[in-house]
């Protein structure tokens, strides 16, 4: 007991009144950070593995379908599925759609996203605790200041993945918008050469990987879904939803209406590709017209103060010298 009292007094003298609580919190967070990787890397029990290999499956078709459905899922994160996935199906679908719009097509994307929020939140709290204890020196904080300095880095770390995903979605939408006119031109060439729409989509997905990988990936997903036997209208609508771009949604509407009314797909593609090229030229002109306005403020801030110093400086110096006489 005397040793514990001495340690307690030592912590209070060096870390303040909340010294013992801070040390206990640091040890608890350290144990959490050590325990989670150990649990994730826990190997499978050999006895269970042997039982699985020796037990005859009762329903082979069902197990094969389940293996195909979960083949690319991370078994380590599967243990924490209830903790890392939203319970509400609508919330889960919304997060999954946003991650797909950011380019993360994996089945475990939602789990990795919430795990990143959890891990970065803990790291932020550890940074806040270190700022209060190690880097604060002899400075003392009240309870409110202590909570702010500990919790604010944790909150920032928790929202970093959300900010990253939002930026990634915007950048990917811009890349899709920039590459969509060229993609339509290539698709028009393929259709006019005698290929069907499905073959044209496969060719576009293969040819556009080097220049526009984002739009090529989306067309590749469309090609795979069509090969799997999914209805074409549903595949195209899902394609528009994943991209989240107005031009792609209008293109999907044109393709569905062209197939429904029996009109030529080549004519529809020709008209729409011309419109997309005009829109791209208009966007470039709009950006060029905004440039002088954006440069005006910077030019004034960088040129007017030195010009005033050059013009007014000698006069001001002369007036001060005359007043001194």
């Amino acid at each position: 007991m005397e040793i514990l009292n001495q340690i307690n007094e030592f912590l209070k003298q060096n870390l303040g009144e909340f010294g013992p609580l801070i040390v206990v919190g640091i040890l608890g967070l350290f144990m959490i950070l050590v325990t989670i990787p150990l649990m994730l890397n826990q190997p499978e029990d050999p006895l269970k593995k042997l039982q699985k290999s020796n037990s005859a499956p009762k329903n082979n078709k069902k197990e094969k379908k389940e293996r195909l459905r979960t083949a690319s899922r991370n078994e380590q994160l599967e243990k924490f599925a209830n903790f890392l996935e939203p319970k509400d199906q609508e919330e889960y679908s919304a997060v999954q759609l946003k991650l797909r719009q950011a380019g993360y097509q994996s089945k475990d994307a939602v789990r990795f996203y919430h795990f990143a929020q959890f891990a970065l939140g803990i790291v932020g709290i550890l940074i806040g605790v270190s700022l209060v204890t190690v880097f604060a020196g002899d400075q003392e904080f009240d309870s409110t200041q202590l909570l702010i300095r500990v919790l604010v880095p944790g909150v920032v770390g928790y929202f970093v993945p959300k900010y990253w995903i939002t930026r990634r979605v915007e950048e990917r939408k811009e890349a899709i918008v920039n590459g969509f006119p060229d993609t339509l031109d290539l698709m028009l060439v393929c259709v006019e050469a005698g290929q069907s729409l499905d073959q044209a989509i496969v060719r576009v997905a293969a040819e556009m990987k080097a220049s526009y990988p984002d739009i090529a990936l989306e067309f590749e997903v469309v090609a795979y879904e069509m090969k799997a036997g999914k209805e074409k209208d549903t595949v195209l609508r899902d394609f528009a939803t994943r991209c989240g771009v107005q031009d792609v949604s209008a293109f999907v509407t044109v393709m569905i209406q062209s197939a429904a009314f029996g009109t030529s797909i080549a004519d529809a593609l020709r008209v729409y590709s011309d419109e997309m090229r005009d829109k791209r030229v208009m966007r470039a002109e709009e950006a060029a017209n905004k440039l002088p306005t954006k440069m005006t403020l910077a030019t004034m801030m960088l040129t007017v103060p030195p010009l005033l110093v050059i013009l007014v400086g000698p006069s001001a110096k002369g007036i001060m010298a005359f007043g001194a006489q």
Side-chain angles (χ1 to χ4, degrees):
M1 293 295 294
E2 293 181 358
I3 297 176
L4 293 177
N5 291 330
Q6 291 177 359
I7 294 174
N8 193 9
E9 292 296 330
F10 176 77
L11 293 175
K12 286 184 178 180
Q13 290 176 0
N14 290 275
L15 300 178
E17 185 178 355
F18 297 97
L21 295 177
I22 293 172
V23 173
V24 171
I26 294 174
L27 292 176
L29 292 174
F30 178 75
M31 291 178 63
I32 291 174
L33 292 176
V34 172
T35 305
I36 289 177
L38 292 176
M39 294 178 67
L40 290 175
N41 295 323
Q42 185 177 5
E44 187 179 1
D45 189 1
L47 181 59
K48 291 183 179 180
K49 186 183 297 185
L50 182 63
Q51 290 175 353
K52 287 181 181 179
S53 61
N54 292 333
S55 61
K58 297 181 180 179
N59 193 345
N60 291 330
K61 292 184 179 180
K62 186 175 181 180
E63 289 192 359
K64 286 181 180 179
K65 290 181 180 179
E66 188 65 25
R67 282 199 299 269
L68 289 174
R69 190 177 297 112
T70 61
S72 62
R73 297 188 76 88
N74 193 321
E75 295 181 358
Q76 297 173 346
L77 292 178
E78 187 74 27
K79 304 173 185 178
F80 304 95
N82 294 329
F83 176 73
L84 295 176
E85 290 183 356
K87 301 296 182 182
D88 189 6
Q89 186 63 30
E90 294 183 359
E91 183 181 356
Y92 178 84
S93 300
V95 175
Q96 188 179 38
L97 176 60
K98 192 168 185 179
L99 290 172
R100 287 184 176 179
Q101 289 178 347
Y104 301 104
Q105 307 288 342
S106 172
K107 295 179 180 179
D108 290 322
V110 178
R111 295 178 184 176
F112 278 113
Y113 172 70
H114 288 288
F115 178 76
Q117 286 187 318
F118 175 72
L120 290 178
I122 292 179
V123 171
I125 292 176
L126 288 176
I127 293 174
V129 171
S130 63
L131 290 176
V132 172
T133 57
V134 179
F135 299 103
D138 298 333
Q139 187 177 1
E140 296 183 357
F141 305 102
D142 56 17
S143 58
T144 304
Q145 294 176 343
L146 192 64
L147 287 175
I148 290 174
R149 283 169 172 77
V150 171
L151 293 181
V152 168
V155 173
V156 172
Y158 180 81
F159 283 101
V160 163
K162 186 175 182 180
Y163 173 75
W164 168 260
I165 293 298
T166 303
R167 288 288 304 274
R168 184 74 181 90
V169 169
E170 296 300 325
E171 291 176 358
R172 194 164 183 268
K173 285 182 179 180
E174 185 177 356
I176 290 175
V177 169
N178 293 332
F180 196 57
D182 295 338
T183 304
L184 290 181
D185 291 338
L186 180 58
M187 187 179 295
L188 176 61
V189 172
C190 294
V191 172
E192 288 183 340
Q195 293 183 345
S196 64
L197 181 62
D198 299 355
Q199 295 173 339
I201 289 174
V202 174
R203 187 61 181 269
V204 166
E207 295 292 337
M208 300 300 292
K209 283 184 178 179
S211 55
Y212 299 105
D214 294 322
I215 191 67
L217 176 62
E218 293 298 336
F219 274 103
E220 189 174 2
V221 173
V222 171
Y224 283 136
E225 289 182 347
M226 287 183 177
K227 288 181 181 179
K230 198 173 181 180
E231 293 184 2
K232 188 177 295 185
D233 294 354
T234 305
V235 171
L236 292 175
R237 288 192 178 95
D238 292 342
F239 167 57
T241 303
R242 285 196 307 271
C243 292
V245 178
Q246 183 63 34
D247 295 341
V248 178
S249 300
F251 164 74
V252 168
T253 303
V254 170
M255 290 294 100
I256 293 175
Q257 290 180 354
S258 177
F261 293 108
T263 58
S264 174
I265 296 178
D267 294 339
L269 282 173
R270 187 180 297 106
V271 173
Y272 197 74
S273 62
D274 291 339
E275 183 180 351
M276 288 298 100
R277 282 195 297 271
D278 293 339
K279 289 183 68 174
R280 183 166 62 178
V281 172
M282 291 174 63
R283 284 194 297 268
E285 291 177 351
E286 182 181 0
N289 292 329
K290 287 181 179 178
L291 189 60
T293 306
K294 293 180 179 179
M295 293 181 62
T296 300
L297 182 61
T299 304
M300 292 179 61
M301 292 178 63
L302 295 175
T303 58
V304 173
L307 186 62
L308 290 176
V309 171
I310 294 173
L311 295 178
V312 182
S315 301
K317 183 178 180 182
I319 293 173
M320 293 175 63
F322 180 76
Q325 293 176 358

